[in-house]
Amino acid sequence: RMSLNYVVTAYPSQKVIQSCVARFTGPKNRNLLVARVTHIDVYDIGPHGLVLFVRLPVYARIAGIMRFRRPKDAQDSVVLFTARLGVAILSWNQETAQCVTVLTSDDRDDNLFSTVSERRPLCKVDPSGRCIGVSPSRNHLRIIPTQTFKNSLAFLVRLPADEIIDMVFLHGCKMPTIAVLLMDSSYCVHLRSFEIYIQDQDILPGL
């Protein structure tokens, strides 16, 4: 009797979720980071094109990546957020030549999952590197302070709307300020801004 063997070789996904350019591997290095579902390819950008520097595996489904740098940092970090509302900040250690996870935050909450929107997760970074904003549900906003990289300082606020459509942090503001496109119960869309008071763990109407 003939026996047949079926052999499968798993090949890393090549689908591009998002990409960004950052000085990730060093202050003088320019890198292209490409998120591909379950891993991030880090390329060196040189005079002869792109050269793969390292492939970073991620044990989750990536929803997006963004460049991030605090005022005192010498090189860029990367904010990674997943389809299951997890957030992590990744940095490259030049001395050990390894990627280091400096902050993780998990926004999964049974009380929020009943109101999770069908849209893709929203995650935005303050241009001055003071905090990260994540929308884990239709009308909630989770603020993750980044000054000390302590997840215990993260807090959740509710916005006065039925659904958050999109949001973005504004440049040049004394306080972290986020502009949010909101939809009310009558399906009317409004643009509002909110100032974020990290120490008070609260937000107030902005401009």
Side-chain angles (χ1 to χ4, degrees):
R1 178 181 297 180
M2 181 182 298
S3 61
L4 300 176
N5 294 325
Y6 181 66
V7 179
V8 176
T9 301
Y11 190 75
S13 174
Q14 295 300 300
K15 179 183 178 180
V16 175
I17 301 298
Q18 196 171 7
S19 64
C20 67
V21 175
R23 298 193 181 277
F24 181 69
T25 58
K28 297 182 180 180
N29 301 337
R30 196 159 175 255
N31 307 108
L32 173 66
L33 292 92
V34 182
R36 301 182 187 271
V37 185
T38 56
H39 65 273
I40 300 174
D41 287 336
V42 181
Y43 296 90
D44 280 332
I45 302 177
H48 302 292
L50 300 177
V51 178
L52 182 62
F53 177 79
V54 67
R55 173 167 288 173
L56 306 175
V58 176
Y59 299 103
R61 187 177 182 86
I62 300 172
I65 57 173
M66 291 168 290
R67 184 184 69 86
F68 168 81
R69 184 189 290 202
R70 296 185 299 175
K72 296 182 180 180
D73 291 344
Q75 65 192 65
D76 295 328
S77 299
V78 171
V79 174
L80 159 74
F81 62 102
T82 71
R84 296 294 290 175
L85 309 177
V87 178
I89 298 179
L90 309 179
S91 293
W92 185 260
N93 189 319
Q94 287 186 290
E95 295 182 358
T96 61
Q98 291 181 336
C99 184
V100 180
T101 303
V102 296
L103 174 71
T104 59
S105 178
D106 193 344
D107 287 322
R108 288 178 292 182
D109 188 313
D110 292 338
N111 295 325
L112 293 181
F113 262 106
S114 61
T115 59
V116 169
S117 174
E118 294 181 356
R119 57 151 170 76
R120 61 177 296 182
L122 293 176
C123 180
K124 303 295 180 178
V125 177
D126 173 45
S128 299
R130 294 167 289 188
C131 63
I132 300 169
V134 183
S135 176
S137 69
R138 286 173 175 253
N139 53 8
H140 285 83
L141 182 64
R142 184 173 179 83
I143 304 299
I144 307 171
T146 56
Q147 296 299 316
T148 59
F149 285 147
K150 291 183 179 179
N151 185 37
S152 59
L153 300 177
F155 59 96
L156 191 70
V157 294
R158 179 168 180 156
L159 299 183
D162 276 10
E163 182 158 7
I164 300 172
I165 299 175
D166 204 353
M167 60 186 186
V168 64
F169 277 93
L170 303 181
H171 291 257
C173 297
K174 183 177 180 181
M175 303 294 296
T177 303
I178 191 166
V180 187
L181 202 60
L182 302 169
M183 180 183 292
D184 61 23
S185 58
S186 301
Y187 299 99
C188 295
V189 178
H190 308 271
L191 178 63
R192 298 187 61 181
S193 65
F194 300 90
E195 291 184 341
I196 299 170
Y197 292 83
I198 296 175
Q199 292 186 347
D200 298 332
Q201 295 194 346
D202 197 9
I203 62 171
L204 292 176
L207 302 175

